[in-house]
Each structure stands twice: as structure tokens, then as C-alpha cells.
Amino acid sequence: MSFWTAMVIIVAIGVLGGVLRARYNAQAGIVEDMHGNQTIAPPEDRNRIAKDPEAQAEIAALKDRIAVLERIATDNNSSARRQSNDIAAEIEALRAATPRVSETSTQTTAKD
């Protein structure tokens, strides 16, 4: 095993350990302040958002806005999509209207 392979493995183990520790802390309700001090969050803080009707209404409104933005981003009737379809149709019309160089060269050699 080379030195760099060992370094990648060591870093991967460290990252995996950090992710697993963060997951455990989140499940156990352990919060960390900006100084690194860990404390157990009171249960009422964990369930406060779930019980707050104003927060739930805001979350529902944000989900609706995200749905609208996703529809706009993937909509085939947007002006950009229509413009790209028009350009593609124009290119295809020009390709169909003009004979290709390879077709004309084979036709002239066949006549000779």
C-alpha cells in the first residue's frame, strides 16, 4: 500500500467517524454551541417547531414556493424552452432545405 493510499484511508475513516458522531448527537438531542460545549436539548425545544402552527404554515408556504420553482425550471412552455425549440426547428429546416456536401459530391462522381 502506498503512502497516499494510506492517507486517503485515514482521512476517510476520520470523515466517517465525524459523520457518525454528528448523526448520533442529532438523534440523542445533543446540541453544540459555538465554543464546542455539548448540552442535551430540552425535549420542548425539539418539539417546539412541530407544535407551532405559524411555523408549520410557513413551512407549507415554502414547500408550495419550491414546487412552483421546480415547475418553472422544468416547464417545457417557458420562453427559453420555446426559443430553443424554435432555433432547433429552424436548424432542422435549413438542413432539410440544402443538400449535403457529401450527397452532391457522390452525385457528381456518379454522373462522370
Side-chain angles (χ1 to χ4, degrees), residues 26-76:
Q27 288 176 346
I30 299 172
V31 295
E32 191 171 305
D33 63 5
M34 65 180 158
H35 300 295
N37 302 323
Q38 293 181 345
T39 57
I40 297 175
E44 62 270 1
D45 285 347
R46 284 186 251 156
N47 297 328
R48 184 183 63 205
I49 293 175
K51 294 179 182 177
D52 187 11
E54 185 178 322
Q56 290 299 319
E58 185 175 353
I59 290 171
L62 290 173
K63 285 181 180 180
D64 291 341
R65 291 176 71 182
I66 289 172
V68 169
L69 291 173
E70 287 174 345
R71 191 177 70 238
I72 289 171
T74 59
D75 190 11
N76 287 335

Side-chain angles (χ1 to χ4, degrees), residues 9-19:
I9 291 172
I10 290 169
V11 169
I13 290 171
V15 168
L16 181 64
V19 168

Side-chain angles (χ1 to χ4, degrees), residues 75-92:
D75 190 11
N76 287 335
N77 294 326
S78 66
S79 62
R81 182 67 176 171
R82 276 186 266 134
Q83 185 179 12
S84 70
N85 286 343
D86 292 344
I87 291 171
E90 188 176 339
I91 290 171
E92 290 302 320

